[in-house]
Amino acid sequence: MKLENMYETLRNIHGPQGKWWPGSEEEIIVSAVLTQNTNWKNVEKALENIKKDCKNNILHCLAKMSTQQISFLIKPAGFFNIKAQRLKNLLTWLKNYDFDLEKIKTKNIEEIRKELLSIKGIGKEAADSIILYALELPIFVIDAYTKRLLNRLLGIKLKEYDQYRLLFETTYPKDVVLYQEFHGLIVEHAKMFCRTKPLCELCAIDSCRYKNAKD
């Protein structure tokens, strides 16, 4: 299998995923920080806590809170003191735009990304997740699952995050819907079959280099 066939192969196995990352734009921005080093169930619990306290726009609401108050609400997501500070930093940046995501979208992707990466605690994966899923601009999100699948399926192992990102962005057209679904398909396949200890015997991809090397 080649990289250009990967999307179609995964879609045939798992079916359409749609946007994949759940929630409103505001919830996605918050969960992009909360999801670091935890599972999605814990993120959901933290989001539920936030929504109980914040009836309307959660970004405006959280921005008015102290770091300690945020920390208490997001406790289920783990590393809550660190994540509360990161959220505060992100909210300060958003406040510069009056929390108007449409204002941010008027800038080009590289500008937005540069600003997000200048925020303490916001790394490339979180920044790109916000850009792709909340702002709905075409940038490919790279995570540990993506690196694992590329290595096992295709024998591709690169050094830098942006090398992986550009590999996808030069192989596939810059399309928000495609990138959102493709990332979702990668995550689903990694969770279902290509785990840390892979279930190769259940995986339908016979051309997988890792599987064939074992035989």
Side-chain angles (χ1 to χ4, degrees):
M1 182 175 67
K2 294 180 179 178
L3 180 57
E4 48 263 44
N5 307 124
M6 190 173 171
Y7 168 75
E8 190 179 352
T9 301
L10 293 176
R11 200 172 191 272
N12 286 339
I13 294 169
H14 299 283
Q17 299 297 304
K19 187 174 181 178
W20 182 75
W21 196 307
S24 65
E25 293 172 338
E26 292 80 14
E27 288 167 10
I28 290 167
I29 288 170
V30 173
S31 61
V33 175
L34 297 183
T35 196
Q36 296 167 14
N37 302 306
T38 194
N39 63 53
W40 188 255
K41 284 183 181 178
N42 292 334
V43 173
E44 284 181 326
K45 288 174 188 173
L47 280 173
E48 282 306 310
N49 286 348
I50 290 169
K51 286 191 278 186
K52 279 176 192 172
D53 269 39
C54 300
K55 304 299 180 188
N56 297 312
N57 188 303
I58 63 172
L59 299 179
H60 283 96
C61 178
L62 289 171
K64 292 173 185 174
M65 293 183 187
S66 67
T67 308
Q68 289 76 15
Q69 286 173 303
I70 295 172
S71 181
F72 177 76
L73 291 176
I74 66 168
K75 202 167 185 177
F79 302 97
F80 44 90
N81 289 326
I82 294 168
K83 290 179 182 178
Q85 188 56 61
R86 287 175 181 173
L87 266 177
K88 261 305 207 187
N89 297 342
L90 180 57
L91 290 163
T92 300
W93 175 75
L94 288 163
K95 196 175 180 181
N96 294 331
Y97 292 96
D98 302 315
F99 302 99
D100 186 346
L101 301 186
E102 293 305 317
K103 273 189 192 176
I104 300 171
K105 289 182 192 181
T106 61
K107 297 194 159 195
N108 67 55
I109 293 173
E110 288 306 317
E111 249 186 301
I112 298 167
R113 191 173 194 251
K114 189 176 178 182
E115 288 185 23
L116 281 168
L117 292 177
S118 72
I119 300 166
K120 191 175 181 183
I122 303 299
K124 291 180 178 179
E125 185 183 334
D128 293 348
S129 297
I130 290 167
I131 293 168
L132 178 62
Y133 288 104
L135 301 177
E136 300 209 306
L137 296 171
I139 196 164
F140 204 91
V141 177
I142 302 298
D143 55 20
Y145 296 132
T146 312
K147 292 174 184 177
R148 185 193 299 167
L149 257 64
L150 277 183
N151 185 23
R152 287 182 180 169
L153 295 178
L154 304 171
I156 296 173
K157 199 169 186 178
L158 304 171
K159 287 185 178 180
E160 301 293 333
Y161 177 101
D162 285 320
Q163 288 179 304
Y164 283 101
R165 180 176 66 83
L166 292 170
L167 179 64
F168 280 92
E169 290 180 8
T170 52
T171 305
Y172 287 87
K174 292 201 172 187
D175 182 272
V176 172
V177 174
L178 171 66
Y179 286 3
Q180 288 177 347
E181 180 166 54
F182 199 171
H183 178 235
L185 287 165
I186 288 168
V187 175
E188 288 304 310
H189 195 79
K191 284 183 174 180
M192 195 173 290
F193 303 115
C194 205
R195 300 172 181 177
T196 307
K197 290 184 178 179
L199 305 175
C200 295
E201 66 282 2
L202 300 177
C203 177
I205 303 175
D206 294 326
S207 61
C208 172
R209 293 195 177 201
Y210 182 87
K211 186 195 285 192
N212 289 326
K214 288 173 67 183
D215 295 339

